Amino acid sequence: MASSPTLNAHNLARLIRTTAPHTAADGVGLDALDGIRFDSDGTHLHAIASDRYTVAVARARLITPGEPFARTVHCPDIAALRAWVDAHHGEAALTLTTEAGRLVLDGPRGTLRIPVTDGEKFPDWRKLLHTALADVPNDAPCTRWTSRLWERWQHANHEVHTWHAGGENPLIVVGTDVIGLQAPHRLRTPTLDQADTPADALDAWKTSLGTDTGQRLDLADALPQPRRTAHTAASTVPEKTEELLRQTLNATNGLFNAPSDDPGAVAAYALSGVHAWAAYRFLKALVKADPDLAADTAADLAEQLDSGEIGEWAWDAAVEAGHDPQQWADDRDQARAEKPSTTDTAATSG
């Protein structure tokens, strides 16, 4: 009987800490990426996470080799996993096993059973990395960066353009009313074993990535697409501005062309145009007051609209604001019940 894979608590904590920021915890329709995938090949335990825009793979060599397995711990359970691991001393040996619908961790402080879905599919991260590394010429200059400096660009617009001449040249960063440089990292810790070429990286990770089959798997094809409604909401301020102006003009045009004997259609067009124009004016004011907040709001709003759950959020928001949405619903239902139907109106007229 094969032994269970075991590794130190500090290594498992590092895997979680490294990959957790890359999960699609707030993604829309990305259930397969909503968590950290733990993949053991018997030699290393890998942690993989992606939000469709980034992919991160971290690994730690097992103290005791064991039977390979792959399970995804989803975001609602990651906090509990992290707390349980952090409760152990760094050198504590933790054992990972699987049972039906569970990933089981045993350590000096007890046992943790995390619910997982057996047989759950996950993107082929090995082939994805093979493809990405194969696209880089092996003689391409290698530049080292200090990753802790990347966060300094997080307020330089949502989208920036970058250029890099390679080697010791700085990275050029250009955004809206933002321009700057980031110098490469010139010093290297002697004990830090990192790859200088794509071939070096493949060699260093060959036990994890396996042999390249020659089949391509690009990022856009490898990762699941979010569920979308028929209408995909605008996610930037310029897109939202255009959408609101277009909606205002379409609604006001529809108002004049609506059947005069259909007051409901007339009211719907009027309400749509008024709300679109009001939203446009508020957006323009927000852009003037705080462009960054406007960009953040547009991106966040797009995710909410695409999710199709705004009715639930609106209900919660109404309650939080001190209103009674249930009374609103009751008033609406009563008004509908008191309104004569088209059939009744026609019968009365006859």
Side-chain angles (χ1 to χ4, degrees), residues 154-184:
Q154 62 181 312
H155 297 297
N157 312 139
H158 277 280
E159 297 179 355
V160 295
H161 293 171
T162 64
W163 294 273
H164 181 231
E168 297 298 318
N169 295 288
L171 180 72
I172 304 170
V173 180
V174 178
T176 304
D177 293 327
V178 175
I179 188 169
L181 305 172
Q182 180 169 328

Side-chain angles (χ1 to χ4, degrees), residues 24 43 46 121 135 153 162 171 185 206 219-220 273 286 312 340:
T43 301
H46 306 86
K121 294 186 178 298
D135 284 343
W153 299 105
T162 64
L171 180 72
H185 189 55
K206 62 183 178 183
L219 194 63
L286 182 58
E312 298 176 18

Side-chain angles (χ1 to χ4, degrees), residues 144-150 182-185:
R144 302 180 185 91
W145 304 100
T146 302
S147 58
R148 62 183 174 80
L149 297 181
W150 294 344
Q182 180 169 328
H185 189 55

Side-chain angles (χ1 to χ4, degrees), residues 6-338:
T6 304
L7 78 164
N8 293 128
H10 73 86
N11 273 328
L12 183 53
R14 175 177 58 83
L15 298 186
I16 298 171
R17 184 174 62 250
T18 302
T19 54
H22 297 268
T23 62
D26 299 321
V28 178
L30 294 174
D31 296 342
L33 301 180
D34 177 23
I36 298 175
R37 180 75 162 185
F38 291 97
D39 187 327
S40 172
D41 60 10
T43 301
H44 290 92
L45 177 66
H46 306 86
I48 309 99
S50 174
D51 56 7
R52 288 193 70 247
Y53 303 103
T54 62
V55 178
V57 181
R59 70 178 180 182
R61 181 174 290 275
L62 297 169
I63 301 172
T64 305
E67 195 71 22
F69 70 86
R71 297 290 190 278
T72 300
V73 176
H74 290 284
C75 287
D77 297 310
I78 290 177
L81 172 60
R82 188 196 296 260
W84 185 86
V85 174
D86 288 345
H88 289 81
H89 293 296
E91 294 303 316
L94 307 180
T95 300
L96 291 84
T97 55
T98 60
E99 59 184 37
R102 293 289 187 273
L103 177 64
V104 184
L105 295 92
D106 285 296
R109 299 185 66 86
T111 300
L112 177 67
R113 285 181 167 84
I114 300 177
V116 295
T117 301
D118 298 332
E120 186 174 22
K121 294 186 178 298
F122 193 80
D124 190 342
W125 58 274
R126 291 179 171 88
K127 187 182 295 184
L128 179 62
L129 287 167
H130 266 299
T131 300
L133 288 167
D135 284 343
V136 182
N138 206 49
D139 59 352
C142 175
T143 302
R144 302 180 185 91
W145 304 100
T146 302
S147 58
R148 62 183 174 80
L149 297 181
W150 294 344
E151 65 182 15
R152 299 185 182 183
W153 299 105
Q154 62 181 312
H155 297 297
N157 312 139
H158 277 280
E159 297 179 355
V160 295
H161 293 171
T162 64
W163 294 273
H164 181 231
E168 297 298 318
N169 295 288
L171 180 72
I172 304 170
V173 180
V174 178
T176 304
D177 293 327
V178 175
I179 188 169
L181 305 172
Q182 180 169 328
H185 189 55
R186 299 173 184 270
L187 299 178
R188 183 179 183 185
T189 306
T191 58
L192 188 61
D193 184 18
Q194 292 181 332
D196 287 325
T197 68
D200 291 339
L202 284 171
D203 184 63
W205 282 78
K206 62 183 178 183
T207 58
S208 296
L209 300 181
T211 303
D212 186 7
T213 62
Q215 297 179 329
R216 290 186 56 82
L217 186 60
D218 295 317
L219 194 63
D221 299 326
L223 304 179
Q225 297 291 324
R227 291 189 298 270
R228 292 292 186 184
T229 56
H231 168 70
T232 301
S235 59
T236 66
V237 169
E239 290 174 348
K240 195 64 182 177
T241 299
E242 179 184 2
E243 180 185 83
L244 292 173
L245 291 175
R246 183 191 296 268
Q247 183 179 341
T248 301
L249 293 175
N250 286 344
T252 52
N253 182 63
L255 178 64
F256 292 109
N257 293 309
S260 58
D261 59 347
D262 188 351
V266 173
Y269 277 119
L271 192 62
S272 176
V274 167
H275 284 179
W277 180 249
Y280 166 74
R281 291 298 306 274
F282 279 120
L283 178 60
K284 293 294 289 184
L286 182 58
V287 170
K288 185 176 181 179
D290 191 334
D292 289 339
L293 180 58
D296 289 341
T297 302
D300 184 52
L301 177 61
E303 289 190 1
Q304 292 182 344
L305 293 177
D306 286 339
S307 75
E309 300 174 355
I310 57 174
E312 298 176 18
W313 286 324
W315 185 284
D316 293 340
V319 172
E320 185 178 349
H323 304 298
D324 186 355
Q326 184 58 57
Q327 186 61 51
W328 294 346
D330 294 342
D331 293 344
R332 180 195 63 223
D333 293 341
Q334 183 177 353
R336 287 176 177 173
E338 294 174 351

